Amino acid sequence: MPFSLLIVLAVFCLYNFVMEVYISMSFIVPGRRKNPYDQPGWTQHDIGYGGKSLRVVINAQKEPSPLLILIHGWRSSSASVGDRGEWFVNRGWHVALIELPSHGASDTVEMWTAYRSMQAIKAVCAQLGTIIPSESVTSATYYGHSIGGFIGLRLLTDTEFHASGHNMEALILESPMTMYSPILDEISDSLKVPSFLMNAYRKRLIDTFNATVPGGASFTSVDQFDLPKWGVPDVPVLCIQAEPDERLGMKHFLLLKNSYDNDAQRSLLTCHLLKGLSHAGARISAERNNLIEDWLTQKA
């Protein structure tokens, strides 16, 4: 083999090796697990999907009642939203706290993404009727904190998404993530991906992501993971936003507002900025709960 061809081959192999290292390090894993919510009146369930299972912590009413699907944030567990769930239970709601893949007591997935988590939640919610029968549910609402909200924004644009046979009638967001672009920028900056490799890096990242989705996916650009392309549900939406947001900043909130700033959907979004609320750890907030109660009353 000519020496020049060996050089070309070596450079090509090195390029692919470097790119694969960048890609493998870009799919960050949640890390240390946190325990599920475990309090009297709540039951623990492992519901299967695609050979894996998610831990679902449920408190069901004895009479027909509204159902709340409550999803925690990144690197948390159902315990981080348990007090929020208790607030709804005390007002006569069924509540299902669902732990994301690789979080809490849910099974680990080899390559974690919000999209794969969304698919898992959809599959698990479709089976909730075995625990909370459809006839005991009067309506269904989704509540997502941080990345749980990001997942909900996509899920509620899917007409096939339901829980106990009921489509979601409303969406509650708390300090939601609304775009992946700045997260990817953080990752690429931490990996020190050279600017001349950025386009190729992003393309390979998306190709790798598509290949990991069960059944495949057809994403072609990073902006498809940002609002409005990611998903703008056509249901009443309440957003309770920490101000300032020490983790995500305010750009995610502003994008949410801009995505609903049109004649067809402007009236669907209600927003409140809370200076006393932090992005993480604010499990009990009387002000937040009062705003949710007022919104639910007005919506009814």
Side-chain angles (χ1 to χ4, degrees), residues 27-31 34 71-77 80 100-103 112-114 117 145-148 177 247 279-280:
F27 288 95
I28 53 178
V29 296
K34 295 179 173 64
I71 311 295
H72 60 81
W74 174 248
R75 289 179 173 163
S76 296
S77 73
S80 70
L100 298 172
S102 300
H103 290 72
W112 194 96
T113 68
S117 296
H145 173 247
S146 191
I147 203 167
M177 174 180 162
R247 173 60 187 93
H279 180 88

Side-chain angles (χ1 to χ4, degrees), residues 245-256:
D245 190 317
E246 75 281 4
R247 173 60 187 93
L248 294 178
M250 300 305 291
K251 53 195 172 185
H252 290 264
F253 171 70
L254 293 175
L255 181 59
L256 175 70

Side-chain angles (χ1 to χ4, degrees), residues 191-205:
L191 295 177
K192 295 180 169 49
V193 179
S195 57
F196 69 89
L197 284 180
M198 190 59 68
N199 287 338
Y201 160 74
R202 289 194 169 199
K203 183 180 184 306
R204 185 171 295 201
L205 188 70

Side-chain angles (χ1 to χ4, degrees), residues 25-219:
M25 295 179 69
S26 296
F27 288 95
I28 53 178
V29 296
R32 184 179 177 183
R33 301 284 190 120
K34 295 179 173 64
N35 292 328
Y37 191 62
D38 186 14
Q39 292 295 324
W42 296 80
T43 57
Q44 308 270 333
H45 307 266
D46 292 313
I47 301 180
Y49 72 97
K52 302 284 186 178
S53 68
L54 296 187
R55 175 62 57 88
V56 184
V57 186
I58 290 177
N59 195 314
Q61 303 289 336
K62 295 181 180 179
E63 303 295 330
S65 308
L67 168 64
L68 184 74
I69 303 298
L70 182 49
I71 311 295
H72 60 81
W74 174 248
R75 289 179 173 163
S76 296
S77 73
S78 55
S80 70
V81 292
D83 288 327
R84 295 168 176 85
E86 292 281 9
W87 186 85
F88 279 89
V89 167
N90 291 338
R91 280 152 185 78
W93 288 55
H94 306 296
V95 177
L97 314 176
I98 303 180
E99 298 193 319
L100 298 172
S102 300
H103 290 72
S106 291
D107 283 350
T108 299
V109 293
E110 294 70 25
M111 192 172 287
W112 194 96
T113 68
Y115 192 86
R116 292 186 70 184
S117 296
M118 179 201 73
Q119 290 184 312
I121 291 171
K122 177 182 176 180
V124 165
C125 282
Q127 302 175 63
L128 279 182
T130 60
I131 305 169
I132 308 175
S134 176
E135 59 270 20
S136 71
V137 175
T138 57
S139 65
T141 296
Y142 182 106
Y143 187 150
H145 173 247
S146 191
I147 203 167
F150 182 67
I151 290 170
L153 284 163
R154 181 79 177 196
L155 268 176
L156 268 68
T157 63
D158 184 345
T159 57
E160 295 181 353
F161 174 53
H162 63 86
S164 292
H166 292 257
N167 293 329
M168 301 295 120
E169 295 184 7
L171 172 62
I172 300 173
L173 303 171
E174 184 175 334
S175 301
M177 174 180 162
T178 63
M179 52 182 165
Y180 178 66
S181 295
I183 308 299
L184 179 57
D185 288 341
E186 287 182 18
I187 294 170
S188 58
D189 287 346
S190 68
L191 295 177
K192 295 180 169 49
V193 179
S195 57
F196 69 89
L197 284 180
M198 190 59 68
N199 287 338
Y201 160 74
R202 289 194 169 199
K203 183 180 184 306
R204 185 171 295 201
L205 188 70
I206 291 172
D207 290 343
T208 302
F209 167 81
N210 286 336
T212 65
V213 174
S218 56
F219 289 94

Side-chain angles (χ1 to χ4, degrees), residues 1 4-22 197 204:
M1 181 180 294
S4 59
L5 186 57
L6 284 174
I7 295 296
V8 171
L9 183 61
V11 170
F12 177 77
C13 290
L14 177 61
Y15 166 81
N16 274 291
F17 173 76
V18 170
M19 290 295 289
E20 286 304 312
V21 169
Y22 283 142
L197 284 180
R204 185 171 295 201

